[in-house]
Every structure is written in structure tokens, then in C-alpha cells.
Amino acid sequence: VGSEFSLIEKYFRTAPRKAALGVGDDCALLYAKPGVQLAVSTDVLNEGTHFTAGADPRKLGHKALAVNLSDLAAMGADPAYALLALSLPLADEAWVAAFADGFFGLARQYGVDLVGGDTTRGPLSICVTVLGEVPSGLALRRDGAQPGDDLWVSGATGEAALGLEIVQGRLRLPDAAAQTCIARLDTPAPRVELGGRLRGVAHSAIDISDGLLADVGHVARASGVAIRVEANALPVTGALAACEDPQLRLACMVGGGDDYELAFTAPADRRDEVLLIAAELSLPVHRIGAVMRGEAEAVLVDRHGGRVSVPRRGYDHFAATP
Ligand code: ADP
Ligand code: MG
């Protein structure tokens, strides 16, 4: 058990690579570059809501940063800085060491400087703030989708939600599939490189944290367009195929959440470019729908264009439980 200051010194004070001044003073100092906008986002993970008591601190450190980097990816911003506000029930040094290990593993991968934060006593809660850089005017926004755009998704959705079914004891899958799904839930990989490469190519983007249909719905409403999502075009990985309940599989794919994939729209004449970027990144992308004029919402359709109803559209912390 250590003091607040020794924990900060030992685990969170690292030499900044980009910042003028990092952890240790009253504020960090960042360079404001001409022609660059800073993309800023914050996300909280609370014990009991986002993870269960006793969750692996190394995985929590990774995920707390990953979900924030995913927001930067969705804007097409290059990650640069992070702040970390930690509320801890006690100064458990082994917990902090493992948490820092998971956090900095991902921070180093993307050259992110941890430049500040706060450490307090209280119920376990992790709040990360990230700042990313994007050339002025080139951020990928939710309100940029245009009729005639294709709708794309990176990777595949649904595995993390199946992972949650498994860890909560409602589903059994063969070992390899189960491990894939649980890893997607615990240690998501933010699509940072893809977001950056889509600047100037995609018209709009969002990261899928609350469920594909719910998040694509946000793009539809922000852009004032209708977006059709074709159920038959959604990618089905081996792990998803291992789930033998087709209703559960579809529900997880379109409404599961915690995917941290990117959904984006791009003009049809840039299809080849999108596919080339995906090939260069070894990250599959699938064309799963289309943007059109019409009521500003996302609709799931079958191969004949008929509406497909789904049991659950996405996660809302304040929605009544079904
Ligand atoms: P103050 O009381 O002036 O806000 P603190 O004593 O809370 O400063 O923090 C000292 C320094 O350590 C500050 O630079 C702060 O940003 C940094 N810091 C505190 N907690 C964390 C943390 N969990 N991760 C990174 N930096 C932290
Ligand atoms: Mg303080």
C-alpha cells in the first residue's frame, strides 16, 4: 500500500514525448500547432456498471484507454495525449501496477503521452480523457453522411456481446470461439490507423460502442438522411458462426455494443480506395448498407428490402430494463 504521491510518481509519471510538460506540475503544457484541431473526448468506466468487482486491472487499464482511442479514431484524429482520473477504494499497489501496465502498453503502441490526471479515494472508477490531432476541417463527423454514400463497417460486430453472454453464464461456445469473444470484450483494439486513413475519403464516421444500429442511427439523425443496414451483408466471423442461436447472434451483431469498430459512409466512387486502405491495414471492411434520402433513421432490412425487427437495438444506461 502506497501514498497517493508515491503511486503517481512510481506508476504514472513518464517522460512526455510530445508534450512540453507532463505529469508533476499543476497543469500539463501542450503545444498548440497551427492548422491542427485538437479532438477531445472522455469516457468513464465504473465498477458495477462497466465491469464487475475483481476485474483484471491490466485489462481495465487497456480498455479504459482503448475506448477513448476509439472515439479519436472515429473522428479521424491521431492520438497524442491522455489524462487519467482514478478513484480507488484503497491504494493497492499491485492493482495500480497492473493497471498502469495495461494502460501504458496501449499508450506506447500509439505514442500517447499521459500528461496528467487525479488520484482520489472512493468507489472504483476510471475516467480517461484523450486529445488527438487532426488537420483543421478534416475531422470525420457524424453529420457528414450524404445520399449516395455506401455504409461500411470495419472488422465485425457482435463478438464482444457474445463474450458478455459467455462470462455472465448464459452461453457456452467451443473454447477457441469463446476466447475470441471474451478477448474482444476485455481488450478491444481501437481502429486508430483506419480512422486516420479515412480522412478525406469518408464523409462521416462513428465508433460502435452502443450497438451497430443505434450508432448508425446517430449518424442518420445527425446527417438528416436515411441509412439502410442490410442484415445479409453483415460480416459473420468464425466465432459468431459458432453461436447456434441465430436470433441471439443477430441481436449481438446489430445491438450488442462494446464492439469499438468504425461505421463510416463514403461515396460509391471511392469503394476501391476504401478497399485498398483496408488491405494495406490488414483490417477487413464490409459494405453493409447505403445512405439515401428519407426519414432520418437507421433501418435493418433483409435481401428483399423488408424491415427486419431485432430484439434489442443498443445499450442505453438510462433505458428501462426490458
Ligand atoms: P493538484 O492537487 O495540483 O491537482 P495532484 O496532486 O492531484 O495535483 O497531482 C499531481 C500531479 O500528478 C499533477 O500533474 C497531476 O496531473 C498528476 N496526476 C495525478 N494523478 C494522476 C494519474 N492517475 N495519472 C496521471 N497523472 C496524475
Ligand atoms: Mg488533485
Side-chain angles (χ1 to χ4, degrees):
V1 175
S3 78
E4 173 190 336
F5 298 108
S6 66
L7 286 178
I8 295 169
E9 279 298 314
K10 191 161 171 195
Y11 295 106
F12 297 122
R13 185 166 183 157
T14 53
R17 294 202 267 174
K18 298 188 172 90
L21 184 65
V23 167
D25 210 315
D26 294 309
C27 289
L29 294 171
L30 313 178
Y31 293 101
K33 297 180 191 161
V36 168
Q37 289 174 324
L38 286 175
V40 185
S41 181
T42 196
D43 262 307
V44 176
L45 298 184
N46 285 332
E47 182 176 281
T49 308
H50 302 92
F51 58 91
T52 49
D56 181 342
R58 185 172 282 101
K59 289 174 181 160
L60 284 178
H62 174 101
K63 187 164 180 174
L65 182 58
V67 302
N68 278 277
L69 295 184
S70 179
D71 286 317
L72 291 181
M75 298 299 288
D78 301 322
Y81 310 105
L83 295 114
L84 168 64
L86 264 183
S87 161
L88 300 170
L90 74 175
D92 176 347
E93 183 155 351
W95 191 97
V96 173
F99 178 90
D101 201 50
F103 185 97
F104 283 112
L106 190 60
R108 272 191 300 272
Q109 185 182 338
Y110 288 110
V112 172
D113 281 346
L114 179 65
V115 294
D118 202 13
T119 307
T120 60
R121 183 184 291 263
L124 183 55
S125 172
I126 304 156
C127 176
V128 174
T129 301
V130 285
L131 294 92
E133 295 172 333
V134 60
S136 291
L138 288 189
L140 304 173
R141 299 167 42 148
R142 297 180 180 188
D143 60 5
Q146 294 176 22
D149 282 359
D150 296 320
L151 174 68
W152 298 83
V153 70
S154 66
T157 59
E159 289 178 343
L162 284 182
L164 188 63
E165 294 294 306
I166 295 166
V167 298
Q168 294 188 341
R170 291 188 296 269
L171 175 72
R172 286 187 64 114
L173 289 186
D175 275 354
Q179 277 166 26
T180 298
C181 292
I182 293 168
R184 285 292 302 256
L185 179 67
D186 286 344
T187 48
R191 305 309 192 188
V192 171
E193 297 87 351
L194 178 63
R197 293 288 303 272
L198 289 175
R199 288 199 298 259
V201 176
H203 279 159
S204 71
I206 190 168
D207 73 318
I208 305 169
S209 52
D210 297 333
L212 173 67
L213 273 187
D215 287 320
V216 170
H218 294 317
V219 174
R221 280 183 292 280
S223 302
V225 295
I227 304 184
R228 277 174 168 228
V229 181
E230 290 158 31
N232 295 303
L234 299 176
V236 180
T237 62
L240 289 163
C243 170
E244 287 171 350
D245 173 350
Q247 276 302 99
L248 174 64
R249 181 169 61 226
L250 182 65
C252 288
M253 286 163 61
V254 301
D258 254 342
D259 298 301
Y260 303 106
E261 296 290 356
L262 297 186
F264 56 97
T265 76
D269 62 11
R270 307 202 77 166
R271 273 178 202 168
D272 291 346
E273 233 172 312
V274 171
L275 291 170
L276 184 66
I277 290 167
E280 284 174 6
L281 298 176
S282 302
L283 174 63
V285 295
H286 288 86
R287 194 149 50 82
I288 59 164
V291 181
M292 51 200 71
R293 281 173 226 290
E295 195 184 339
E297 58 172 0
V299 180
L300 187 68
V301 297
D302 62 22
R303 66 174 88 247
H304 309 295
R307 262 184 111 120
V308 179
S309 66
V310 278
R312 194 180 130 190
R313 281 179 66 93
Y315 192 74
D316 179 339
H317 283 281
F318 297 103
T321 36

